[in-house]
Amino acid sequence: MRPVRILSWWARDYLYAAVWQVRAFFDRTDPAVFLTGDRAPIVVIPGVYETWKFLQPLIEAAHRRGHPVHVVPLLRHNQRPVLDGAAFVTEYLDQTGLDGVVIVAHSKGGLIGKQVMVGPAAGRVRSMLAVATPFGGSRYARLMIPSTLRIFSPRDATIVALAKEATVNERIVSIYGAFDPHIPEGSELVGAVNIRLDTGGHFRILAHPRVLAELDTRAR
């Protein structure tokens, strides 16, 4: 890959992230407005340091297509361990009684989503669309100081344990770019439907038309 192209992807990726983090901070939309719809229910799981509002463009698009879209309030900025996040999602599914759920997840959210799919609420989840998820971890994690980022080490116990839970992979669509500045290993998941986009980034991928197209296909 040409360095100029990579730098361009990198710059646009962080610009996208900065814009949507700022918009999320000021936005006062009540997530309850997205709960209506008669198509498959969607549960959104954001990435680390993100709230559901970071995925709002995707949420709004899915809702316009008739999907009730649910967020999990206890996730907040998603800084707790993956197992805690999965427990929050499982509790939400149990409390709401949702079934036939399609999980839409970004980055760390995909790890939480897979943990839900192998846990007590497994029967409630139909499939998951995971965007830029570090299923195999990231070698950059060992260089990080915050514990919230070191959990992405390929040697982390949760990462290793989830890798062994391969039976649910066939119900997962992993979509990612040709270059991800946060996950140099990529997001390919053996046994899943893997979609590698001819673009780069970790955040801007969320706005790619193919993501919504895949959601339309999987959430019929």
Side-chain angles (χ1 to χ4, degrees):
M1 260 179 257
R2 296 172 58 188
V4 172
R5 193 180 191 194
I6 291 176
L7 287 173
S8 174
W9 281 338
W10 201 315
R12 285 182 289 167
D13 196 45
Y14 282 105
L15 177 60
Y16 177 92
V19 168
W20 278 101
Q21 286 287 26
V22 170
R23 291 186 66 169
F25 179 80
F26 289 103
D27 185 87
R28 294 296 177 263
T29 302
D30 184 346
V33 303
F34 303 116
L35 293 176
T36 58
D38 56 7
R39 298 185 68 187
I42 292 172
V43 172
V44 172
I45 309 179
V48 65
Y49 300 137
E50 299 170 4
T51 69
W52 66 269
K53 293 179 181 178
F54 194 77
L55 280 70
Q56 195 164 329
L58 190 56
I59 291 172
E60 291 176 348
H63 185 249
R64 285 194 298 270
R65 284 161 168 75
H67 296 281
V69 185
H70 297 254
V71 304
V72 181
L74 285 178
L75 285 175
R76 298 186 175 89
H77 285 84
N78 201 1
Q79 297 183 61
R80 298 285 293 273
V82 168
L83 294 178
D84 288 355
F88 294 152
V89 176
T90 297
E91 180 182 353
Y92 183 87
L93 293 177
D94 288 341
Q95 288 178 348
T96 56
L98 290 174
D99 283 305
V101 167
V102 176
I103 293 175
V104 177
H106 178 233
S107 193
K108 177 186 176 182
L111 300 177
I112 293 174
K114 185 175 179 181
Q115 185 66 51
V116 172
M117 294 175 75
V118 301
R124 297 188 181 278
V125 181
R126 182 204 303 181
S127 60
M128 177 171 68
L129 177 64
V131 183
T133 291
F135 287 111
S138 170
R139 61 177 174 266
Y140 294 152
R142 64 184 179 83
L143 305 175
M144 301 293 107
I145 295 175
S147 59
T148 50
L149 298 179
R150 288 201 305 273
I151 65 168
F152 300 118
S153 166
R155 297 182 179 179
D156 180 81
T158 300
I159 295 280
V160 173
L162 279 176
K164 296 176 181 178
E165 298 283 359
T167 57
V168 299
N169 290 1
E170 64 182 12
R171 293 191 284 125
I172 297 174
V173 177
S174 180
I175 188 165
Y176 50 94
F179 166 77
D180 188 322
H182 292 246
I183 315 171
E185 294 85 353
S187 298
E188 183 174 352
L189 180 63
V190 176
V193 177
N194 292 287
I195 300 172
R196 184 177 182 268
L197 303 175
D198 187 22
T199 187
H202 185 73
F203 305 105
R204 197 170 56 92
I205 298 293
L206 287 166
H208 197 284
R210 185 67 184 274
V211 174
L212 186 57
E214 286 300 319
L215 179 57
D216 278 340
T217 298
R218 308 295 164 178
R220 289 176 180 170

